[in-house]
Amino acid sequence: TRLGVDRSLITQARRNRNLLRLIALGCAWLDEQAGDFGAEEFADLAEEGREAVITRAEQSKLRSLPRQFFERTRREAFSHYYVQPVVWEGLGYEGPPQPLGFPDHNQPPKGAGV
């Protein structure tokens, strides 16, 4: 949330009716599952309960709502997270080669021993 991934995902969903519907249904499913752990809503669960509910979604049948919700929101969250330069720093990634290109393209790769 510090990097705004949640807000980016919501903004994306507002432009995509299918994604918005999937998120709405998925969040309703999360809240429904929370009842099994003694909470009214998913957000009220302790970390262990939230992880248990998410594991249920991840392990659900392939085309089920919980599984689709899990897979899609996970994929979109990763996409919104890894496009941020602040994340690249921690990975040792200097960013995409363009617009600078590969100025040393005609040289052997560094460390190739050539």
Side-chain angles (χ1 to χ4, degrees):
T1 56
R2 248 183 321 170
L3 296 177
V5 171
D6 55 335
R7 292 183 303 276
S8 295
L9 182 57
I10 290 168
T11 298
Q12 177 186 1
R14 287 183 176 145
R15 288 185 253 130
N16 180 327
R17 271 189 13 214
N18 291 334
L19 179 58
L20 185 61
R21 185 167 189 267
L22 179 63
I23 290 174
L25 291 172
C27 287
W29 182 86
L30 292 174
D31 287 342
E32 180 183 308
Q33 298 303 301
D36 291 350
F37 297 89
E40 286 190 34
E41 296 181 349
F42 179 78
D44 296 334
L45 290 172
E47 183 176 350
E48 301 82 33
R50 290 191 309 267
E51 287 181 9
V53 171
I54 296 302
T55 298
R56 280 184 185 177
E58 179 185 23
Q59 295 175 351
S60 295
K61 291 182 181 179
L62 192 58
R63 299 195 188 280
S64 67
L65 168 69
R67 180 71 174 272
Q68 288 181 355
F69 173 67
F70 172 81
E71 296 287 342
R72 180 74 187 268
T73 54
R74 179 174 175 248
R75 183 176 65 240
E76 298 299 339
F78 282 173
S79 294
H80 291 287
Y81 180 79
Y82 285 110
V83 299
Q84 300 188 45
V86 69
V87 174
W88 302 345
E89 294 170 18
L91 299 172
Y93 176 62
E94 296 177 6
Q98 303 305 331
L100 301 176
F102 295 98
D104 60 349
H105 74 280
N106 60 345
Q107 303 295 315
K110 294 177 184 170
V114 179

